[in-house]
Amino acid sequence: MSLPFAVLVVLVALLAGSLYAAAEADPYKILGVTRSASQAEIKKVYKRLAKEWHPDKNKSPEAEDMFIKITKSYEILSSEEKRSTYDRYGQTDDTQPYGQYRHRHSHFDFDEAFFNFPFNKNSRDFADGKYALHFDQYVNNVVPGSFKRPYLVKITSDWCFSCIHIEPVWKEVVQEMETLGVGIGVVDVGYERRLANYLGAHRTPSILGVINGKVTFFHYAVAKELLKQFVEDLLPQRLVEKVTDKNQLEFLNSWQEINKPHVLLFDQVPAVPLLFKLTAFAYKDYLQFGYVDQGISDTADLLKQFNINTYAPTMLVFKENIDKPADIIQAKGMKKQIIDEFMSNNKFLLVPRLVNQKLFDELCPVKQFHRRRKYCVLLLTSDEESFSPGNQAFLSFASTNTREVLRFAYVYQRHQQPLYIMKSVVILERRNAAGKTLYKPVTAWNGSEEDQQALVDELERLHKDPSILNYDATLPELNNEFASMFIIRWVYSSYDYLTEVVDDILHNNWREMMPLVSLIFSALFILFGTVVIQAFSDSSEDKQTKPKGKDGLKAENGSPGGASRPPKKSFVEVTELTDITYTSNLVRLRPGHMNVVLVLTHASKNILLSKFAKEVYSFTGSVTLHFSFLNMDKHSEWMHSLLEYAQEALRHDAHDDHQAANRRADYTGYVMALNGHKKYLCLFRPVYTGEDADAKSSEDESGSYRSRSVSTLQIHHKLDRLGLWMERLMEGTLPRYYVPAWPGLDKITPGK
């Protein structure tokens, strides 16, 4: 009796264990919902529990297991098929014990791992070799391809226990995503450590997405629904517009502004299908996408207007005619291949506008072979209202075309100046990528029957004899009319990047955030250090500039204007321009440097130099400015020769011929900014203060003129506005007078 009793005890224990395991794995009990709960209720409860038990926020030991159970339960109950199977049989086909389904494992079951999960990668049930990525393949194929479709990449290794446990879910997700057009990749750290480091993946397993060349990591438990949602979240948010009866005219009428056909998908599900979003991303450069939810009352007029069958998804393409679709496709369970073919056949309007070089290259490709040549019939027109009838007539004419070798397009000539050499309607053929084009003007187009008949005749002649294209031209690259939209795209990209940064911070992904954090702190440190250094520098310079100089060349700044940078010295260094310093201070002056030269005489030297030093002191901090003076008593001939190129400036201020003659004779107080490298000068004319009663001009025995305190321009007022002139010099707003070459030494009279 003891043996049957022992068997009975074992059976009871096994039954109790199975009942306990079943109760523990009941998704309804885990989520705390009834069997009659709606999808909205289940989703609401799932979000609350997932937030509460997320391992990154809940530090209790059982948080990870509980989070996996919650996720798996939601995966079952959110799918009507799996939920129905569970309600009937108490399990689903892919059900496995929750306790053994981990994203990060601290241990693993030896028996199960040894017998059911061999480590030899070649004998795995789901081979990753088909999707293996190498560094060059990622850079050359995946990154460029990510601008047309997202990529889902798994980081794994041979001896990764957790990688083995996520394999069934990964296999199921890959099979579904690949049919939708998502790219798949697998990086084995053991063989591609360089690529893993490049992606920023520092642990296995990791799953990441690549879109538009940007890498985004998956942070949640590895469950099918969460991975699908991750792929959907990778896509830009504004790919597909929700269209109703209220905005359908606005949506369809924008074809002329954005120069694209419009695609409308009619379906009964409230959310935009992932396949349609992926299609919109792949063809975003060619088509504008909209989605119509057939299940709401706001779309009833649309369904009636286009006679939509509500039992199957329907896709319509609209081009120039918004009342009638240019193409239509309707089928249950649309396949990606069918949709791609449908989109490729409707990428352009009947008569698109050439808005950039890329569109020109696609519509009018360069001739490669005789049998593959393409001819473009191009209308050069305007967007003014008076051109509208002719433009409409050209569209009507193009809509009747059935020849594959002919493409019709138009261009707004004021936006595309490279095509100014052509007139009205032309037929052209591009011969090479350098821009060589053969063309023939057809007619001055206004849309009349005569114009249309003339175009028909020319196209018939072209069909028989391509040599009628007897004009040739080299066209430069077309302007990008949508370049101003770059700012809008930049704002959207910045928003997406900030969203990703916030998401990384919330998930404590500090290893991946370290480069950004380091950059921010480095910028703050540099900014703070610059402010501190500047504060100490300003205080020390203030102390240095307190003592006043006794010499006229060491005077403080007396000008009202500011300077480009604080002065480095407490004095102004002024050298005399002589035949010895002439070459170094002018002829061979370094590029970007200027010499500010004061013109004076023996009699006015001390007064003018003192005033000059006060006016230019605040500008001595600039390393590109040098200061000199020129003695008219020694070098009058050189001065006369140089100012021959600035006669316009000298005449500008003269009130009559007599005053002009006097000014040409007396250059005392003039200041010249000389750019030796670029060979130009800027001229400062002294302030005219009126005629003095004692003013006299005297001529010495040698014939040179001397300017004294009795001059018509009072000496101590000549440089009153020099500070303002120096500010304009630093701003670059002064007139420039160019000289063919600086006067040679023969123009400099020797000193006595």
Side-chain angles (χ1 to χ4, degrees), residues 432-450:
N432 58 40
K436 183 179 180 181
T437 304
L438 299 182
Y439 71 97
K440 177 177 176 55
V442 178
T443 178
W445 183 269
N446 58 21
S448 64
E449 292 185 2
E450 292 79 6

Side-chain angles (χ1 to χ4, degrees), residues 22 102 128 298 301 336 370 402 474 512 613 685 695:
R102 295 176 178 269
D128 290 334
D298 290 342
D301 293 342
K336 180 180 181 299
H370 178 75
T402 57
T474 300
E512 297 158 17
R685 295 179 297 276

Side-chain angles (χ1 to χ4, degrees), residues 304-372:
K304 183 178 179 181
Q305 179 181 354
F306 299 113
N307 193 23
I308 301 299
N309 181 359
T310 59
Y311 296 101
T314 305
M315 202 174 292
L316 307 180
V317 173
F318 294 86
K319 296 186 177 180
E320 285 86 348
N321 186 359
I322 65 171
D323 296 322
K324 182 180 179 181
D327 204 351
I328 183 172
I329 182 175
Q330 187 177 55
K332 287 187 177 181
M334 288 189 186
K335 302 297 182 182
K336 180 180 181 299
Q337 293 78 5
I338 298 176
I339 295 178
D340 284 342
E341 183 179 357
F342 181 71
M343 298 300 170
S344 298
N345 293 336
N346 294 282
K347 287 168 57 176
F348 305 109
L349 297 168
L350 293 176
V351 185
R353 184 172 87 252
L354 297 183
V355 294
N356 52 45
Q357 187 65 32
K358 178 184 176 184
L359 184 58
F360 191 26
D361 293 338
E362 293 198 50
L363 284 174
C364 307
V366 175
K367 174 189 173 183
Q368 296 179 346
F369 306 102
H370 178 75
R371 294 183 179 181
R372 296 178 59 182

Side-chain angles (χ1 to χ4, degrees), residues 73-89:
S73 300
Y74 176 71
E75 183 179 338
I76 294 173
L77 298 184
S78 61
S79 171
E80 293 295 342
E81 181 181 353
K82 291 184 177 180
R83 183 177 180 180
S84 176
T85 303
Y86 181 83
D87 290 342
R88 287 184 180 183
Y89 307 110

